[in-house]
Amino acid sequence: MKITEPPRTPEQRKADLLVRLEREIDIWVATADAEGVPCLVPLWFVWHDEAVWLCTRLTNPTGRNLRDGRRARLAFGDTRDVVLLDGDVETFTSVEVPPAAAEAFRAKTGWDPREDHASYAFFQVRPHAVQAWCEVHELPRRHLMRDGVWGL
C-alpha cells in the first residue's frame, strides 16, 4: 500500500461526507441489545434535517435495539474511505413520523414504509460524533463532530 494523495482538510472531509450522505442508499447499522449482544445490518437511509433516517420492523433485533437502546453506530462499507457516525435514536411509528422525513425517505429509496406492514417504524439517528478518514495519514484529524457540534 502506498499513500500518494495528501490528507484532506477537515472541511473537505465534511464536504465529502455530506455528498456521500446524499449519494449512498445503504448504511451499516450497529446496535446492541440489553445484554450487549451486537447486531450489524445494512439498511436504506436518507439524510434529512441533519439526521439519518432509517426504517425497519420493530419486530426484528435491529428495530428493538434501536427503540430500546436509543443509540447506534452507522458506517459506510468502504474501508479506504471510512465514515463512522455515533448517534442518539428516536423512534417514530408510521403515523408519528414527520411527513417531510417520510417523504424524503420515499423520494430517495422509492419505498414508502407507511404504506407497508404496520410493524415498520422510522428511526431518526441524530449524530453526536462523526469520524471520517482515508488511510492512516488522515487519522490524526478524523473527528469532524463531537458532542453534536461540527468542529472544523
Side-chain angles (χ1 to χ4, degrees):
M1 176 179 75
K2 194 184 243 188
I3 299 171
T4 58
E5 296 293 319
R8 297 169 297 165
T9 65
E11 293 80 11
Q12 184 60 52
R13 278 186 277 147
K14 180 183 177 187
D16 292 347
L17 163 68
L18 293 174
V19 166
R20 199 160 182 193
L21 285 165
E22 293 297 327
R23 182 188 71 220
E24 301 278 347
I25 194 165
D26 298 310
I27 197 163
W28 286 101
V29 179
T31 61
D33 67 16
E35 286 76 43
V37 177
C39 184
L40 178 66
V41 297
L43 292 177
W44 285 351
F45 79 97
V46 66
W47 175 250
H48 173 75
D49 196 23
E50 296 294 309
V52 173
W53 287 84
L54 311 164
C55 187
T56 193
R57 292 177 187 252
L58 282 169
T59 54
N60 68 35
T62 299
R64 288 190 305 270
N65 294 348
L66 288 166
R67 179 195 62 209
D68 299 343
R70 300 182 52 99
R71 292 177 23 194
R73 172 167 272 189
L74 310 177
F76 290 115
D78 189 345
T79 60
R80 299 285 179 206
D81 187 5
V82 177
V83 174
L84 298 175
L85 296 97
D86 294 308
D88 299 315
V89 178
E90 189 170 350
T91 303
F92 297 86
T93 66
S94 293
V95 174
E96 299 167 333
V97 65
E103 275 304 308
F105 190 89
R106 185 204 53 74
K108 183 174 184 182
T109 66
W111 173 51
D112 190 343
R114 295 171 298 178
E115 297 174 358
D116 211 319
H117 196 275
S119 66
Y120 281 104
F122 287 84
F123 302 91
Q124 179 193 46
V125 182
R126 190 130 337 248
H128 58 75
V130 176
Q131 300 175 61
W133 73 91
C134 287
E135 307 295 344
V136 68
H137 65 302
E138 288 188 355
L139 279 173
R141 297 185 69 199
R142 69 187 174 272
H143 296 277
L144 301 180
M145 177 188 282
R146 293 179 196 244
D147 299 320
V149 178
W150 294 102
L152 305 177

